[in-house]
Short mmCIF file of all heavy atoms in Angstrom, two decimals:
data_model
loop_
_atom_site.label_atom_id
_atom_site.label_comp_id
_atom_site.label_asym_id
_atom_site.label_seq_id
_atom_site.Cartn_x
_atom_site.Cartn_y
_atom_site.Cartn_z
N ARG A 54 -19.03 -27.25 -7.04
CA ARG A 54 -19.28 -28.04 -8.24
C ARG A 54 -18.05 -28.75 -8.77
O ARG A 54 -18.08 -29.32 -9.86
CB ARG A 54 -19.85 -27.13 -9.33
CG ARG A 54 -21.18 -26.50 -8.96
CD ARG A 54 -21.79 -25.76 -10.14
NE ARG A 54 -20.97 -24.67 -10.62
CZ ARG A 54 -21.21 -23.39 -10.37
NH1 ARG A 54 -22.26 -23.03 -9.67
NH2 ARG A 54 -20.42 -22.44 -10.85
N THR A 55 -16.94 -28.69 -8.05
CA THR A 55 -15.71 -29.30 -8.54
C THR A 55 -15.36 -30.54 -7.72
O THR A 55 -15.76 -30.67 -6.56
CB THR A 55 -14.53 -28.32 -8.49
OG1 THR A 55 -14.34 -27.89 -7.15
CG2 THR A 55 -14.78 -27.11 -9.38
N THR A 56 -14.60 -31.41 -8.35
CA THR A 56 -14.12 -32.63 -7.67
C THR A 56 -12.71 -32.92 -8.14
O THR A 56 -12.25 -32.38 -9.15
CB THR A 56 -15.02 -33.85 -8.00
OG1 THR A 56 -15.04 -34.03 -9.41
CG2 THR A 56 -16.43 -33.65 -7.47
N GLY A 57 -12.07 -33.81 -7.43
CA GLY A 57 -10.75 -34.29 -7.83
C GLY A 57 -9.69 -33.22 -7.89
O GLY A 57 -9.68 -32.28 -7.08
N PRO A 58 -8.79 -33.34 -8.89
CA PRO A 58 -7.66 -32.39 -9.01
C PRO A 58 -8.12 -30.95 -9.21
O PRO A 58 -7.48 -30.02 -8.71
CB PRO A 58 -6.90 -32.89 -10.24
CG PRO A 58 -7.32 -34.30 -10.44
CD PRO A 58 -8.70 -34.42 -9.88
N GLU A 59 -9.22 -30.77 -9.93
CA GLU A 59 -9.74 -29.41 -10.15
C GLU A 59 -10.16 -28.79 -8.81
O GLU A 59 -9.87 -27.62 -8.53
CB GLU A 59 -10.93 -29.46 -11.11
CG GLU A 59 -11.45 -28.08 -11.46
CD GLU A 59 -12.69 -28.13 -12.35
OE1 GLU A 59 -13.40 -29.14 -12.34
OE2 GLU A 59 -12.93 -27.13 -13.02
N HIS A 60 -10.80 -29.58 -7.96
CA HIS A 60 -11.22 -29.11 -6.64
C HIS A 60 -10.00 -28.74 -5.79
O HIS A 60 -9.97 -27.69 -5.15
CB HIS A 60 -12.06 -30.18 -5.95
CG HIS A 60 -12.57 -29.77 -4.61
ND1 HIS A 60 -13.65 -28.93 -4.47
CD2 HIS A 60 -12.12 -30.05 -3.35
CE1 HIS A 60 -13.86 -28.72 -3.17
NE2 HIS A 60 -12.95 -29.40 -2.48
N ASP A 61 -9.01 -29.62 -5.83
CA ASP A 61 -7.78 -29.37 -5.06
C ASP A 61 -7.11 -28.08 -5.52
O ASP A 61 -6.61 -27.30 -4.71
CB ASP A 61 -6.81 -30.54 -5.19
CG ASP A 61 -7.34 -31.81 -4.55
OD1 ASP A 61 -8.27 -31.71 -3.71
OD2 ASP A 61 -6.82 -32.89 -4.89
N HIS A 62 -7.10 -27.85 -6.85
CA HIS A 62 -6.49 -26.63 -7.37
C HIS A 62 -7.27 -25.39 -6.92
O HIS A 62 -6.68 -24.37 -6.55
CB HIS A 62 -6.42 -26.67 -8.91
CG HIS A 62 -5.83 -25.42 -9.48
ND1 HIS A 62 -4.48 -25.15 -9.42
CD2 HIS A 62 -6.40 -24.34 -10.09
CE1 HIS A 62 -4.24 -23.97 -9.97
NE2 HIS A 62 -5.39 -23.47 -10.40
N HIS A 63 -8.60 -25.49 -6.91
CA HIS A 63 -9.42 -24.35 -6.46
C HIS A 63 -9.17 -24.05 -4.98
O HIS A 63 -9.08 -22.88 -4.59
CB HIS A 63 -10.89 -24.62 -6.71
CG HIS A 63 -11.28 -24.46 -8.14
ND1 HIS A 63 -12.55 -24.67 -8.59
CD2 HIS A 63 -10.57 -24.09 -9.24
CE1 HIS A 63 -12.60 -24.46 -9.89
NE2 HIS A 63 -11.41 -24.11 -10.31
N VAL A 64 -9.06 -25.09 -4.18
CA VAL A 64 -8.78 -24.90 -2.75
C VAL A 64 -7.41 -24.23 -2.58
O VAL A 64 -7.27 -23.29 -1.79
CB VAL A 64 -8.85 -26.23 -1.98
CG1 VAL A 64 -8.32 -26.08 -0.57
CG2 VAL A 64 -10.28 -26.77 -1.98
N TRP A 65 -6.42 -24.72 -3.34
CA TRP A 65 -5.08 -24.13 -3.26
C TRP A 65 -5.12 -22.65 -3.66
O TRP A 65 -4.54 -21.80 -2.98
CB TRP A 65 -4.14 -24.90 -4.20
CG TRP A 65 -2.78 -24.27 -4.32
CD1 TRP A 65 -1.73 -24.40 -3.46
CD2 TRP A 65 -2.35 -23.39 -5.38
NE1 TRP A 65 -0.67 -23.66 -3.91
CE2 TRP A 65 -1.02 -23.03 -5.08
CE3 TRP A 65 -2.95 -22.90 -6.52
CZ2 TRP A 65 -0.28 -22.19 -5.90
CZ3 TRP A 65 -2.22 -22.05 -7.34
CH2 TRP A 65 -0.89 -21.71 -7.03
N GLU A 66 -5.83 -22.35 -4.74
CA GLU A 66 -5.90 -20.96 -5.20
C GLU A 66 -6.68 -20.08 -4.22
O GLU A 66 -6.31 -18.93 -3.99
CB GLU A 66 -6.52 -20.87 -6.60
CG GLU A 66 -6.31 -19.51 -7.21
CD GLU A 66 -6.73 -19.42 -8.67
OE1 GLU A 66 -6.97 -20.46 -9.32
OE2 GLU A 66 -6.82 -18.29 -9.16
N LEU A 67 -7.74 -20.62 -3.61
CA LEU A 67 -8.48 -19.86 -2.60
C LEU A 67 -7.60 -19.52 -1.41
O LEU A 67 -7.66 -18.41 -0.87
CB LEU A 67 -9.73 -20.61 -2.16
CG LEU A 67 -10.92 -20.54 -3.11
CD1 LEU A 67 -11.98 -21.56 -2.71
CD2 LEU A 67 -11.50 -19.14 -3.14
N ARG A 68 -6.77 -20.47 -1.00
CA ARG A 68 -5.84 -20.19 0.11
C ARG A 68 -4.85 -19.11 -0.27
O ARG A 68 -4.52 -18.23 0.53
CB ARG A 68 -5.10 -21.47 0.50
CG ARG A 68 -5.96 -22.45 1.25
CD ARG A 68 -5.17 -23.64 1.72
NE ARG A 68 -6.05 -24.56 2.44
CZ ARG A 68 -6.01 -25.87 2.30
NH1 ARG A 68 -5.13 -26.44 1.50
NH2 ARG A 68 -6.83 -26.63 2.99
N LEU A 69 -4.36 -19.18 -1.51
CA LEU A 69 -3.42 -18.17 -1.99
C LEU A 69 -4.09 -16.80 -2.04
O LEU A 69 -3.50 -15.79 -1.63
CB LEU A 69 -2.91 -18.56 -3.38
CG LEU A 69 -1.78 -17.72 -3.95
CD1 LEU A 69 -0.50 -17.94 -3.14
CD2 LEU A 69 -1.54 -18.09 -5.40
N LEU A 70 -5.33 -16.75 -2.52
CA LEU A 70 -6.06 -15.49 -2.58
C LEU A 70 -6.31 -14.93 -1.18
O LEU A 70 -6.23 -13.71 -0.97
CB LEU A 70 -7.38 -15.67 -3.33
CG LEU A 70 -7.25 -15.95 -4.83
CD1 LEU A 70 -8.60 -16.35 -5.41
CD2 LEU A 70 -6.66 -14.77 -5.57
N ASP A 71 -6.61 -15.80 -0.24
CA ASP A 71 -6.81 -15.37 1.15
C ASP A 71 -5.53 -14.75 1.70
O ASP A 71 -5.56 -13.71 2.37
CB ASP A 71 -7.27 -16.55 2.00
CG ASP A 71 -7.59 -16.12 3.42
OD1 ASP A 71 -8.50 -15.28 3.59
OD2 ASP A 71 -6.93 -16.63 4.35
N ARG A 72 -4.40 -15.37 1.39
CA ARG A 72 -3.11 -14.84 1.85
C ARG A 72 -2.84 -13.48 1.19
O ARG A 72 -2.38 -12.54 1.84
CB ARG A 72 -2.00 -15.83 1.52
CG ARG A 72 -0.64 -15.37 2.00
CD ARG A 72 0.38 -16.48 1.99
NE ARG A 72 1.64 -15.96 2.43
CZ ARG A 72 2.77 -16.10 1.75
NH1 ARG A 72 2.80 -16.77 0.63
NH2 ARG A 72 3.88 -15.58 2.22
N ARG A 73 -3.14 -13.38 -0.10
CA ARG A 73 -2.94 -12.12 -0.81
C ARG A 73 -3.81 -11.02 -0.22
O ARG A 73 -3.35 -9.88 -0.05
CB ARG A 73 -3.25 -12.29 -2.29
CG ARG A 73 -2.19 -13.04 -3.07
CD ARG A 73 -2.53 -13.14 -4.52
NE ARG A 73 -2.55 -11.82 -5.14
CZ ARG A 73 -3.07 -11.57 -6.33
NH1 ARG A 73 -3.61 -12.54 -7.04
NH2 ARG A 73 -3.06 -10.34 -6.82
N MET A 74 -5.06 -11.33 0.10
CA MET A 74 -5.94 -10.33 0.71
C MET A 74 -5.38 -9.83 2.04
O MET A 74 -5.42 -8.63 2.33
CB MET A 74 -7.35 -10.89 0.90
CG MET A 74 -8.15 -10.96 -0.38
SD MET A 74 -9.88 -11.42 -0.14
CE MET A 74 -9.75 -13.19 -0.04
N SER A 75 -4.83 -10.75 2.82
CA SER A 75 -4.24 -10.35 4.10
C SER A 75 -3.04 -9.43 3.90
O SER A 75 -2.88 -8.43 4.60
CB SER A 75 -3.82 -11.59 4.89
OG SER A 75 -4.93 -12.36 5.23
N ILE A 76 -2.20 -9.77 2.93
CA ILE A 76 -1.01 -8.96 2.68
C ILE A 76 -1.40 -7.58 2.15
O ILE A 76 -0.84 -6.56 2.57
CB ILE A 76 -0.05 -9.69 1.71
CG1 ILE A 76 0.48 -10.98 2.35
CG2 ILE A 76 1.11 -8.79 1.32
CD1 ILE A 76 1.20 -11.90 1.38
N ILE A 77 -2.35 -7.54 1.22
CA ILE A 77 -2.80 -6.25 0.68
C ILE A 77 -3.43 -5.41 1.78
O ILE A 77 -3.21 -4.20 1.86
CB ILE A 77 -3.78 -6.44 -0.49
CG1 ILE A 77 -3.09 -7.10 -1.67
CG2 ILE A 77 -4.38 -5.10 -0.92
CD1 ILE A 77 -4.03 -7.53 -2.79
N ASN A 78 -4.20 -6.07 2.63
CA ASN A 78 -4.82 -5.35 3.76
C ASN A 78 -3.75 -4.73 4.65
O ASN A 78 -3.88 -3.58 5.09
CB ASN A 78 -5.68 -6.33 4.56
CG ASN A 78 -7.01 -5.77 4.91
OD1 ASN A 78 -7.33 -4.64 4.60
ND2 ASN A 78 -7.82 -6.57 5.56
N LEU A 79 -2.69 -5.48 4.93
CA LEU A 79 -1.59 -4.96 5.73
C LEU A 79 -0.93 -3.78 5.02
O LEU A 79 -0.66 -2.75 5.64
CB LEU A 79 -0.56 -6.06 6.01
CG LEU A 79 0.71 -5.62 6.73
CD1 LEU A 79 0.39 -5.09 8.13
CD2 LEU A 79 1.71 -6.76 6.79
N ALA A 80 -0.68 -3.93 3.72
CA ALA A 80 -0.05 -2.85 2.95
C ALA A 80 -0.93 -1.60 2.97
O ALA A 80 -0.42 -0.48 3.11
CB ALA A 80 0.21 -3.30 1.52
N LEU A 81 -2.23 -1.78 2.82
CA LEU A 81 -3.16 -0.64 2.89
C LEU A 81 -3.10 0.03 4.26
O LEU A 81 -3.04 1.26 4.36
CB LEU A 81 -4.59 -1.09 2.60
CG LEU A 81 -4.95 -1.29 1.14
CD1 LEU A 81 -6.24 -2.07 1.01
CD2 LEU A 81 -5.06 0.04 0.44
N PHE A 82 -3.12 -0.77 5.32
CA PHE A 82 -3.05 -0.22 6.68
C PHE A 82 -1.76 0.58 6.87
O PHE A 82 -1.78 1.69 7.41
CB PHE A 82 -3.14 -1.35 7.71
CG PHE A 82 -2.94 -0.87 9.12
CD1 PHE A 82 -3.97 -0.25 9.81
CD2 PHE A 82 -1.71 -1.03 9.75
CE1 PHE A 82 -3.78 0.21 11.10
CE2 PHE A 82 -1.52 -0.57 11.04
CZ PHE A 82 -2.56 0.04 11.72
N LEU A 83 -0.64 0.03 6.42
CA LEU A 83 0.64 0.71 6.58
C LEU A 83 0.70 1.99 5.76
O LEU A 83 1.19 3.02 6.25
CB LEU A 83 1.79 -0.23 6.20
CG LEU A 83 2.00 -1.41 7.16
CD1 LEU A 83 2.93 -2.44 6.52
CD2 LEU A 83 2.54 -0.93 8.50
N ALA A 84 0.20 1.96 4.54
CA ALA A 84 0.22 3.16 3.69
C ALA A 84 -0.69 4.24 4.26
O ALA A 84 -0.32 5.43 4.28
CB ALA A 84 -0.20 2.79 2.26
N VAL A 85 -1.88 3.86 4.73
CA VAL A 85 -2.78 4.85 5.33
C VAL A 85 -2.15 5.42 6.61
O VAL A 85 -2.22 6.63 6.86
CB VAL A 85 -4.17 4.25 5.60
CG1 VAL A 85 -5.02 5.16 6.46
CG2 VAL A 85 -4.88 3.95 4.29
N SER A 86 -1.53 4.57 7.40
CA SER A 86 -0.85 5.04 8.62
C SER A 86 0.26 6.03 8.27
O SER A 86 0.44 7.04 8.95
CB SER A 86 -0.27 3.86 9.41
OG SER A 86 -1.29 3.00 9.84
N SER A 87 0.99 5.74 7.20
CA SER A 87 2.03 6.66 6.75
C SER A 87 1.42 7.99 6.32
O SER A 87 1.97 9.06 6.65
CB SER A 87 2.80 6.03 5.58
OG SER A 87 3.75 6.94 5.08
N ALA A 88 0.30 7.94 5.62
CA ALA A 88 -0.36 9.18 5.20
C ALA A 88 -0.83 9.99 6.41
O ALA A 88 -0.67 11.22 6.44
CB ALA A 88 -1.55 8.86 4.29
N VAL A 89 -1.37 9.31 7.40
CA VAL A 89 -1.82 10.01 8.62
C VAL A 89 -0.63 10.66 9.32
O VAL A 89 -0.70 11.82 9.75
CB VAL A 89 -2.57 9.03 9.56
CG1 VAL A 89 -2.81 9.65 10.92
CG2 VAL A 89 -3.89 8.61 8.93
N MET A 90 0.47 9.94 9.43
CA MET A 90 1.66 10.51 10.07
C MET A 90 2.20 11.68 9.26
O MET A 90 2.65 12.68 9.83
CB MET A 90 2.75 9.44 10.23
CG MET A 90 2.48 8.42 11.31
SD MET A 90 2.17 9.16 12.94
CE MET A 90 3.67 10.02 13.26
N THR A 91 2.13 11.60 7.95
CA THR A 91 2.59 12.70 7.10
C THR A 91 1.71 13.93 7.31
O THR A 91 2.22 15.06 7.40
CB THR A 91 2.60 12.27 5.63
OG1 THR A 91 3.41 11.09 5.49
CG2 THR A 91 3.16 13.36 4.74
N CYS A 92 0.41 13.72 7.39
CA CYS A 92 -0.50 14.84 7.69
C CYS A 92 -0.18 15.44 9.06
O CYS A 92 -0.21 16.67 9.23
CB CYS A 92 -1.96 14.37 7.65
SG CYS A 92 -2.55 13.96 6.01
N LEU A 93 0.13 14.59 10.01
CA LEU A 93 0.50 15.06 11.34
C LEU A 93 1.77 15.92 11.28
O LEU A 93 1.86 16.95 11.95
CB LEU A 93 0.69 13.88 12.29
CG LEU A 93 1.03 14.20 13.73
CD1 LEU A 93 -0.13 14.95 14.39
CD2 LEU A 93 1.34 12.93 14.50
N VAL A 94 2.72 15.51 10.45
CA VAL A 94 3.96 16.28 10.29
C VAL A 94 3.62 17.68 9.78
O VAL A 94 4.12 18.68 10.32
CB VAL A 94 4.94 15.57 9.32
CG1 VAL A 94 6.05 16.50 8.85
CG2 VAL A 94 5.53 14.34 9.98
N VAL A 95 2.78 17.77 8.75
CA VAL A 95 2.41 19.07 8.20
C VAL A 95 1.72 19.91 9.27
O VAL A 95 2.03 21.10 9.45
CB VAL A 95 1.52 18.90 6.95
CG1 VAL A 95 0.98 20.24 6.47
CG2 VAL A 95 2.30 18.21 5.83
N ALA A 96 0.78 19.30 9.98
CA ALA A 96 0.07 20.04 11.05
C ALA A 96 1.04 20.50 12.13
O ALA A 96 0.96 21.65 12.59
CB ALA A 96 -1.03 19.16 11.64
N LEU A 97 1.96 19.64 12.53
CA LEU A 97 2.93 20.00 13.56
C LEU A 97 3.83 21.14 13.11
O LEU A 97 4.21 22.00 13.92
CB LEU A 97 3.79 18.79 13.95
CG LEU A 97 3.12 17.73 14.82
CD1 LEU A 97 4.03 16.51 14.98
CD2 LEU A 97 2.75 18.31 16.18
N LEU A 98 4.18 21.16 11.83
CA LEU A 98 5.00 22.26 11.31
C LEU A 98 4.30 23.60 11.52
O LEU A 98 4.90 24.58 11.97
CB LEU A 98 5.31 22.06 9.83
CG LEU A 98 6.36 21.02 9.48
CD1 LEU A 98 6.37 20.76 7.98
CD2 LEU A 98 7.73 21.47 9.95
N PHE A 99 3.01 23.63 11.19
CA PHE A 99 2.26 24.88 11.34
C PHE A 99 2.03 25.22 12.80
O PHE A 99 2.17 26.38 13.20
CB PHE A 99 0.94 24.79 10.57
CG PHE A 99 1.11 25.04 9.11
CD1 PHE A 99 1.25 23.98 8.23
CD2 PHE A 99 1.17 26.33 8.62
CE1 PHE A 99 1.42 24.21 6.88
CE2 PHE A 99 1.35 26.56 7.26
CZ PHE A 99 1.48 25.50 6.39
N VAL A 100 1.66 24.25 13.61
CA VAL A 100 1.41 24.52 15.04
C VAL A 100 2.68 25.01 15.70
O VAL A 100 2.66 25.99 16.47
CB VAL A 100 0.86 23.25 15.74
CG1 VAL A 100 0.87 23.41 17.25
CG2 VAL A 100 -0.54 22.92 15.24
N ALA A 101 3.79 24.35 15.40
CA ALA A 101 5.06 24.76 16.00
C ALA A 101 5.42 26.19 15.62
O ALA A 101 5.89 26.97 16.45
CB ALA A 101 6.17 23.81 15.58
N GLU A 102 5.18 26.54 14.36
CA GLU A 102 5.53 27.88 13.91
C GLU A 102 4.59 28.93 14.48
O GLU A 102 5.03 29.98 14.96
CB GLU A 102 5.53 27.92 12.38
CG GLU A 102 6.14 29.17 11.82
CD GLU A 102 7.56 29.41 12.31
OE1 GLU A 102 8.40 28.49 12.27
OE2 GLU A 102 7.84 30.54 12.74
N LEU A 103 3.30 28.64 14.44
CA LEU A 103 2.33 29.63 14.92
C LEU A 103 2.40 29.83 16.43
O LEU A 103 2.23 30.95 16.91
CB LEU A 103 0.91 29.21 14.51
CG LEU A 103 0.62 29.26 13.01
CD1 LEU A 103 -0.74 28.68 12.72
CD2 LEU A 103 0.75 30.68 12.48
N ALA A 104 2.65 28.76 17.16
CA ALA A 104 2.69 28.86 18.63
C ALA A 104 4.11 29.09 19.14
O ALA A 104 4.33 29.13 20.34
CB ALA A 104 2.11 27.59 19.25
N LYS A 105 5.04 29.22 18.19
CA LYS A 105 6.46 29.44 18.56
C LYS A 105 6.96 28.33 19.50
O LYS A 105 7.68 28.58 20.47
CB LYS A 105 6.67 30.81 19.21
CG LYS A 105 6.31 31.97 18.33
CD LYS A 105 7.22 32.06 17.14
CE LYS A 105 6.87 33.28 16.28
NZ LYS A 105 7.22 33.08 14.91
N LEU A 106 6.56 27.11 19.20
CA LEU A 106 7.02 25.95 19.97
C LEU A 106 8.25 25.37 19.29
O LEU A 106 8.40 25.43 18.08
CB LEU A 106 5.92 24.90 20.05
CG LEU A 106 4.61 25.35 20.70
CD1 LEU A 106 3.57 24.27 20.58
CD2 LEU A 106 4.85 25.69 22.16
N HIS A 107 9.11 24.81 20.07
CA HIS A 107 10.36 24.24 19.53
C HIS A 107 10.34 22.73 19.72
O HIS A 107 10.97 22.20 20.64
CB HIS A 107 11.56 24.88 20.22
CG HIS A 107 11.61 26.36 20.05
ND1 HIS A 107 11.96 26.97 18.87
CD2 HIS A 107 11.29 27.38 20.90
CE1 HIS A 107 11.89 28.27 18.99
NE2 HIS A 107 11.48 28.56 20.21
N PHE A 108 9.57 22.06 18.88
CA PHE A 108 9.62 20.60 18.96
C PHE A 108 9.97 19.99 17.61
O PHE A 108 9.30 19.13 17.08
CB PHE A 108 8.36 19.97 19.58
CG PHE A 108 7.03 20.48 19.08
CD1 PHE A 108 6.55 20.14 17.82
CD2 PHE A 108 6.26 21.27 19.90
CE1 PHE A 108 5.33 20.59 17.39
CE2 PHE A 108 5.02 21.73 19.46
CZ PHE A 108 4.56 21.38 18.21
N GLY A 109 11.10 20.47 17.10
CA GLY A 109 11.64 19.95 15.84
C GLY A 109 11.95 18.48 15.91
O GLY A 109 11.78 17.75 14.92
N THR A 110 12.37 18.00 17.08
CA THR A 110 12.68 16.58 17.25
C THR A 110 11.42 15.74 17.06
O THR A 110 11.45 14.70 16.40
CB THR A 110 13.29 16.31 18.64
OG1 THR A 110 14.47 17.11 18.78
CG2 THR A 110 13.65 14.86 18.80
N ILE A 111 10.30 16.21 17.59
CA ILE A 111 9.04 15.48 17.46
C ILE A 111 8.61 15.45 15.99
O ILE A 111 8.18 14.40 15.49
CB ILE A 111 7.95 16.10 18.35
CG1 ILE A 111 8.31 15.93 19.82
CG2 ILE A 111 6.59 15.50 18.05
CD1 ILE A 111 7.43 16.69 20.78
N VAL A 112 8.76 16.58 15.30
CA VAL A 112 8.41 16.63 13.88
C VAL A 112 9.30 15.68 13.09
O VAL A 112 8.81 14.92 12.24
CB VAL A 112 8.52 18.07 13.34
CG1 VAL A 112 8.35 18.12 11.83
CG2 VAL A 112 7.52 18.99 14.02
N ALA A 113 10.58 15.69 13.39
CA ALA A 113 11.51 14.80 12.69
C ALA A 113 11.18 13.34 12.94
O ALA A 113 11.17 12.51 12.02
CB ALA A 113 12.95 15.09 13.12
N LEU A 114 10.89 12.99 14.18
CA LEU A 114 10.54 11.61 14.51
C LEU A 114 9.23 11.18 13.85
O LEU A 114 9.10 10.05 13.38
CB LEU A 114 10.46 11.42 16.03
CG LEU A 114 11.79 11.48 16.78
CD1 LEU A 114 11.57 11.43 18.29
CD2 LEU A 114 12.72 10.36 16.33
N ALA A 115 8.27 12.10 13.79
CA ALA A 115 7.00 11.79 13.12
C ALA A 115 7.23 11.55 11.63
O ALA A 115 6.64 10.63 11.04
CB ALA A 115 6.00 12.92 13.33
N PHE A 116 8.11 12.34 11.01
CA PHE A 116 8.41 12.14 9.59
C PHE A 116 9.15 10.82 9.37
O PHE A 116 8.86 10.09 8.42
CB PHE A 116 9.22 13.31 9.04
CG PHE A 116 9.41 13.24 7.56
CD1 PHE A 116 8.35 13.51 6.70
CD2 PHE A 116 10.63 12.91 7.01
CE1 PHE A 116 8.51 13.44 5.32
CE2 PHE A 116 10.81 12.83 5.64
CZ PHE A 116 9.74 13.10 4.79
N ILE A 117 10.09 10.52 10.26
CA ILE A 117 10.80 9.24 10.15
C ILE A 117 9.83 8.07 10.29
O ILE A 117 9.89 7.10 9.53
CB ILE A 117 11.93 9.16 11.21
CG1 ILE A 117 13.05 10.14 10.86
CG2 ILE A 117 12.47 7.73 11.33
CD1 ILE A 117 14.06 10.36 11.96
N LEU A 118 8.90 8.17 11.23
CA LEU A 118 7.89 7.12 11.40
C LEU A 118 7.03 7.00 10.15
O LEU A 118 6.72 5.89 9.69
CB LEU A 118 7.03 7.39 12.63
CG LEU A 118 5.93 6.36 12.93
CD1 LEU A 118 6.52 4.97 13.11
CD2 LEU A 118 5.14 6.78 14.16
#
Side-chain angles (χ1 to χ4, degrees):
R54 298 188 299 256
T55 59
T56 58
E59 184 184 24
H60 182 78
D61 294 341
H62 179 74
H63 284 179
V64 170
W65 173 81
E66 193 171 348
L67 281 168
R68 286 185 180 138
L69 188 68
L70 292 170
D71 184 61
R72 182 166 179 232
R73 286 181 64 194
M74 283 187 278
S75 296
I76 296 168
I77 294 171
N78 226 358
L79 175 63
L81 281 165
F82 174 79
L83 291 167
V85 169
S86 297
S87 176
V89 169
M90 286 305 300
T91 304
C92 290
L93 182 64
V94 165
V95 172
L97 285 173
L98 284 170
F99 280 96
V100 168
E102 191 56 48
L103 292 173
K105 300 294 182 208
L106 300 174
H107 301 286
F108 46 74
T110 302
I111 294 171
V112 172
L114 290 174
F116 187 73
I117 290 168
L118 180 58

